[in-house]
Amino acid sequence: MTDPATKDDTQSITVEYELLHPPAKVWRALTDSKLVESWLMPNDLVPVVGHRFTFRARPIPGWDGICHCEVLEVKPNERLSYTWRGGSDELPHRSRLDTVVTWTLTPMVSGGTRLKLVHSGFKSSDAYAFEMMGNGWRGKIAERIAEVVAALA
Amino acid sequence: MTAREDAIFRALADPTRRAVFERLTLGEAAVKEITARFDVSQPAISQHLAALRKAGLVAERREGRNAYYRVNPAGLRPLVDWIEHYQAFWRDRIERLRTTLEEMEE
């Protein structure tokens, strides 16, 4: 499957965990909106391809706290993926996160689940750093720096 | 905090240096131009620029007797390392997922 967020020069994070619970149960925890809220963030996720939803976090300097998502792939008990984007659909994505989160569930002989998370599409850090210079981020970086400097004092 | 981050914070802890850095985010500038903008002596401005350069935040180029400074785009990277941020974020969230799984009915 073509990953829409894949471009040259992107990086991804991979995290793998072995869970003691069966795939069907882990799947529920990944796809039931209320359950997802308990460990991730408030959301209106529905495991249907094409469904658009948001994750809502507390805003911090440089991020309004809203993650815009669209479900890309649903294979019950096996694979779930959605886009994970900063900014709204009206704003250009160039200076924001434009990534994909993919969960893969593999049953283990023990009855548990090997859960793999891949979060891909991070542009090179230089791209972010440079884009921080424009697009109204200068003030936000300054705020963040001021916060940290105050904490150091 | 890494030595690099520490150097960045120390460089930016001074309000004049922060203001000089912000000015450079608008584009390259000659030392003279920067000095004219702030109510600070040229030697002081040069010291501030040296501190910013040492922290990897700005770069210098010379043209004859004039020195020009510009922001180094990768300089703030340690502060805005999204990858590191998200790695820590997901590790933390999956631990919370474990708790949710424990609390769910079979």
Side-chain angles (χ1 to χ4, degrees):
Chain A
M1 187 195 100
T2 315
D3 179 347
T6 299
K7 305 175 183 64
D8 285 339
D9 199 29
T10 62
Q11 296 172 269
S12 58
I13 298 164
T14 300
V15 176
E16 272 188 82
Y17 275 80
E18 290 182 0
L19 302 170
L20 296 175
H21 307 264
K25 190 176 178 191
V26 177
W27 179 259
R28 257 173 47 227
L30 292 175
T31 54
D32 177 301
S33 174
K34 280 271 168 275
L35 291 173
V36 172
E37 179 172 348
S38 73
W39 61 273
L40 188 46
M41 278 181 279
N43 67 90
D44 47 334
L45 162 67
V46 177
V48 168
V49 173
H51 175 72
R52 294 190 169 196
F53 64 101
T54 60
F55 282 108
R56 297 177 291 284
R58 246 188 17 239
I60 56 167
W63 185 40
D64 62 6
I66 314 266
C67 239
H68 296 265
C69 307
E70 182 181 329
V71 179
L72 295 174
E73 192 180 0
V74 176
K75 261 172 126 176
N77 305 333
E78 283 182 42
R79 199 168 154 103
L80 171 70
S81 85
Y82 38 83
T83 58
W84 178 284
R85 296 181 161 128
S88 73
D89 288 328
E90 292 91 45
L91 294 173
H93 288 302
R94 198 182 64 89
S95 61
R96 297 285 201 155
L97 280 178
D98 185 4
T99 59
V100 175
V101 170
T102 303
W103 301 95
T104 307
L105 290 72
T106 309
M108 288 166 55
V109 165
S110 59
T113 305
R114 183 164 290 119
L115 179 67
K116 182 162 127 175
L117 161 72
V118 177
H119 192 170
S120 60
F122 290 95
K123 291 181 288 187
S124 74
S125 318
D126 284 359
Y128 283 116
F130 198 84
E131 283 156 357
M132 296 292 170
M133 298 302 132
N135 299 313
W137 284 55
R138 283 194 303 277
K140 292 178 173 164
I141 295 286
E143 272 170 50
R144 165 100 179 102
I145 290 166
E147 271 175 13
V148 179
V149 166
L152 290 174
Chain B
M1 194 182 308
T2 66
R4 177 100 189 269
E5 284 175 13
D6 194 45
I8 292 169
F9 286 126
R10 276 188 284 109
L12 293 174
D14 178 283
T16 306
R17 277 207 288 273
R18 225 163 31 241
V20 168
F21 179 71
E22 288 248 311
R23 161 58 188 85
L24 292 176
T25 64
L26 298 173
E28 187 183 72
V31 176
K32 284 186 215 170
E33 193 191 325
I34 298 168
T35 306
R37 183 180 269 259
F38 295 97
D39 188 22
V40 180
S41 70
Q42 175 143 336
I45 288 288
S46 292
Q47 267 193 319
H48 287 315
L49 289 167
L52 289 171
R53 198 164 100 221
K54 202 163 162 213
L57 293 171
V58 303
E60 181 204 37
R61 72 174 177 94
R62 293 200 166 258
E63 213 176 79
R65 285 167 52 188
N66 296 317
Y68 296 85
Y69 280 80
R70 66 189 183 281
V71 158
N72 171 19
L76 281 177
R77 184 183 166 273
L79 296 190
V80 292
D81 195 333
W82 288 102
I83 298 260
E84 229 172 75
H85 166 76
Y86 271 99
Q87 249 158 6
F89 170 82
W90 285 119
R91 268 186 236 120
D92 173 68
R93 293 308 156 126
I94 294 180
E95 285 306 318
R96 288 166 58 154
L97 168 61
R98 271 194 220 270
T99 304
T100 294
L101 288 164
E102 289 301 319
E103 290 169 358
M104 278 165 69
E105 290 147 21
E106 282 309 315

